[in-house]
Amino acid sequence: MSEQHGHPHPPHEHHEHHEHHEPGHGHGSGGAGWSARWRHKAGHLLKPHSHEAADKVDPALESSARGMRALWISLAVLGVTAAAQAVIVVLTGSVALLGDTVHNAADALTAIPLGIAFVLGRRAATRRFTYGYGRAEDLAGIVILLTIAGSAAFAAWAAVDRLLNPRALEHVWVVAAAAVIGFIGNEWVARYRIRVGREIGSAALVADGLHARTDGFTSLAVLLSAGGAALGWRLADPIVGLLITAAILLVLRDAAREVFRRVMDAVDPALVDAAEETLLAVPGVRGVGELRLRWIGHRLRAEVAVVVDGELTVREAHEVAVDAEHALLHAVPKLTAALVHADPAAVPGTQDPHLVLAHHGV
């Protein structure tokens, strides 16, 4: 089957649709098609909305703005948390708390590449970047993974160095208090980033939230270090530092899975099922051929071929394609663009209209 090109739009990330149905043109389904169309328009009177370009850009910009807001708020919270812990590290010399502090600082700094990605994602598509700049979020996700890996390496180095050169932990109760502060700050940031990331569809922001959540649990692990030191166990601090390193590696695995799936254009199969069911319910659509969904940043784009009555005029087939696109935009969350190609239904004894493309392997 060919790539969808029967319903073209200019190469912009958001395109507009103008209702231009002329009297006398239906969906090839007689009164039923017009009845469905008027029921749909009546619904618009009760719940007015639009799919003009400006209306579709606004929610996309709002999602980016929410992502930026989440980044800066969490950056401030983590910055204060890391600064407070850093002062206590200087006073106590705790290597476990040092590892936690470095991880908190690194987590705060991941807001920078992700913020750049959100800003780039707002830029309009160009003739070179015809899908826009949403993929910058995937690059930011990779930077976040490298940052997590770097903080794991540093925490491991500090813990091994302390194992080889043990020293007494001073001001144990101050270290314990710092650990509690670290947990509270990181868990709040984790919940906030993950919630906003899932709401706007940003895998990178979700990965950053998972990063913060691990920081919270590693802060609790520092409590074990302080408890062991209070009991006179000098190796408690570096051993907990190694446990923190292991926890960081676990979150690295989970975050890598999120980012890898997004880079590889993976989507939730439930979204594909929902899209297919929606298309089959559109008057005039006899079947669904090729259906593809992909994330571009935190926005979804669809490409689909629908089967229509081969006796329809070009204008009637186009109306079915527009209705199919309209239905998809309503049914699939975070979908901001869809390219719909209308294929004529197969007629026994006639040649497949796509046969000329067979040797291209499409």
Side-chain angles (χ1 to χ4, degrees), residues 64-294:
S64 293
R66 290 189 61 198
M68 290 291 292
R69 189 160 54 245
L71 286 177
W72 297 129
I73 292 176
S74 59
L75 173 61
V77 173
L78 288 178
V80 171
T81 301
Q85 288 184 318
V87 171
I88 297 174
V89 167
V90 173
L91 293 175
T92 64
S94 170
V95 71
L97 186 57
L98 173 62
D100 192 34
T101 303
V102 169
H103 201 39
N104 285 335
D107 194 23
L109 291 177
T110 56
I112 296 175
L114 199 47
I116 293 173
F118 281 135
V119 171
L120 282 176
R122 297 179 180 183
R123 297 180 61 180
T126 66
R127 292 185 65 83
R128 181 178 295 277
F129 296 96
T130 56
Y131 281 95
Y133 295 82
R135 287 287 192 179
E137 280 187 45
D138 298 334
L139 296 178
I142 294 173
V143 172
I144 290 171
L145 294 181
L146 295 175
T147 303
I148 298 175
S151 59
F154 181 84
W157 173 82
V160 170
D161 179 69
R162 185 55 55 86
L163 278 174
L164 297 177
N165 303 286
R167 53 177 283 192
L169 181 63
E170 302 174 356
H171 308 290
V172 173
W173 297 112
V174 178
V175 172
V180 173
I181 292 173
F183 172 75
I184 294 174
N186 278 289
E187 181 59 21
W188 187 89
V189 167
R191 289 174 179 266
Y192 186 39
R193 284 181 175 178
I194 291 173
R195 176 173 58 82
V196 175
R198 287 176 176 166
E199 287 175 355
I200 68 174
S202 173
L205 190 55
V206 171
D208 221 13
L210 292 173
H211 187 193
R213 171 153 291 162
T214 298
D215 287 351
F217 288 122
T218 56
S219 294
L220 288 182
V222 175
L223 281 176
L224 296 178
S225 170
L231 295 175
W233 188 26
R234 298 181 66 184
L235 294 180
D237 190 47
I239 288 177
V240 170
L242 290 175
L243 291 177
I244 289 175
T245 301
I248 296 173
L249 291 175
L250 288 177
V251 80
L252 176 61
R253 180 198 63 183
D254 293 339
R257 184 185 297 118
E258 288 274 346
V259 173
F260 174 78
R261 288 176 177 172
R262 186 58 61 88
V263 170
M264 294 299 294
D265 285 333
V267 296
D268 185 350
L271 290 177
V272 181
D273 294 338
E276 191 169 54
E277 292 173 5
T278 298
L279 290 167
L280 290 174
V282 174
V285 174
R286 292 191 173 186
V288 178
E290 194 171 53
L291 171 59
R292 296 177 178 176
L293 295 173
R294 71 187 308 188

